[in-house]
Amino acid sequence: AEELGDRQVQAINLGNIGLVWQDKGEWDKALEYQEKALKLDRGLGDKQGEAQDLGNIGNTYVKMMPAAGGDSSVAGLPQNDKALALAVKAVPMLAQALAMFLKLGAGDGPEQCRWGLGECLKVMGRDKFVAAYVKAGMADPEAVQMADSLAKQ
């Protein structure tokens, strides 16, 4: 794709390579490839690709939380600062991706974003989650509604 100058296929391949590194738990490499894909998709104006990349980056941060000391699968566990910092990074990525997916009407992207946001809510608690969601550019009532909706899942 690089030799042919097909930047869209390059972006898809970079994102997929990032997901392979994510599955292997190689977080830095996963983020490196996912961020390259995001840069290409933004340059191309590919909103679907951009939403996918943002969601993948956000969920990479989420998947890093258990290794940082925050078992994101169990609500109520005390979380350390590293897990909280990862959740704070993940929320804006996932919030943007979710908004884009909903606008585009795109497949299973919203479900993946909601999963990651739910894991962040468990680590952050309601008040910090709402504050991070608002800081990501979402309206306060929307942030509260999202927190309440995720807490019911």
Side-chain angles (χ1 to χ4, degrees):
E2 194 171 292
E3 286 179 21
L4 296 173
D6 191 336
R7 296 180 65 197
Q8 188 166 31
V9 172
Q10 279 181 282
I12 292 167
N13 290 338
L14 288 167
N16 287 337
I17 292 168
L19 291 175
V20 170
W21 286 118
Q22 182 191 80
D23 287 345
K24 292 178 159 273
E26 296 283 342
W27 312 119
D28 291 339
K29 289 181 181 180
L31 290 169
E32 175 188 343
Y33 281 92
Q34 291 164 346
E35 288 168 1
K36 285 179 182 179
L38 177 62
K39 183 177 179 180
L40 272 176
D41 281 326
R42 282 184 169 159
L44 292 167
D46 181 353
K47 296 298 182 188
Q48 176 74 29
E50 182 179 350
Q52 191 68 47
D53 299 331
L54 287 167
N56 288 341
I57 293 168
N59 278 330
T60 295
Y61 288 129
V62 170
K63 290 179 180 184
M64 292 168 67
M65 291 187 310
D71 183 349
S72 62
S73 65
V74 182
L77 272 182
Q79 307 299 325
N80 71 18
D81 291 342
K82 288 181 183 179
L84 180 61
L86 291 167
V88 168
K89 287 182 178 184
V91 168
M93 298 289 194
L94 293 168
Q96 290 175 55
L98 179 58
M100 291 175 79
F101 278 129
L102 293 174
K103 185 176 182 180
L104 295 167
D108 64 350
E111 182 180 320
Q112 293 173 4
C113 292
R114 284 188 185 103
W115 172 82
L117 289 167
E119 296 300 302
C120 291
L121 175 63
K122 292 175 189 176
V123 168
M124 300 173 84
R126 187 176 190 274
D127 292 342
K128 288 180 183 175
F129 177 87
V130 168
Y133 210 78
V134 169
K135 188 174 181 182
M138 307 304 160
D140 190 68
E142 181 183 353
V144 170
Q145 181 180 13
M146 179 60 71
D148 292 344
S149 171
L150 293 169
K152 293 177 185 175
Q153 293 180 352

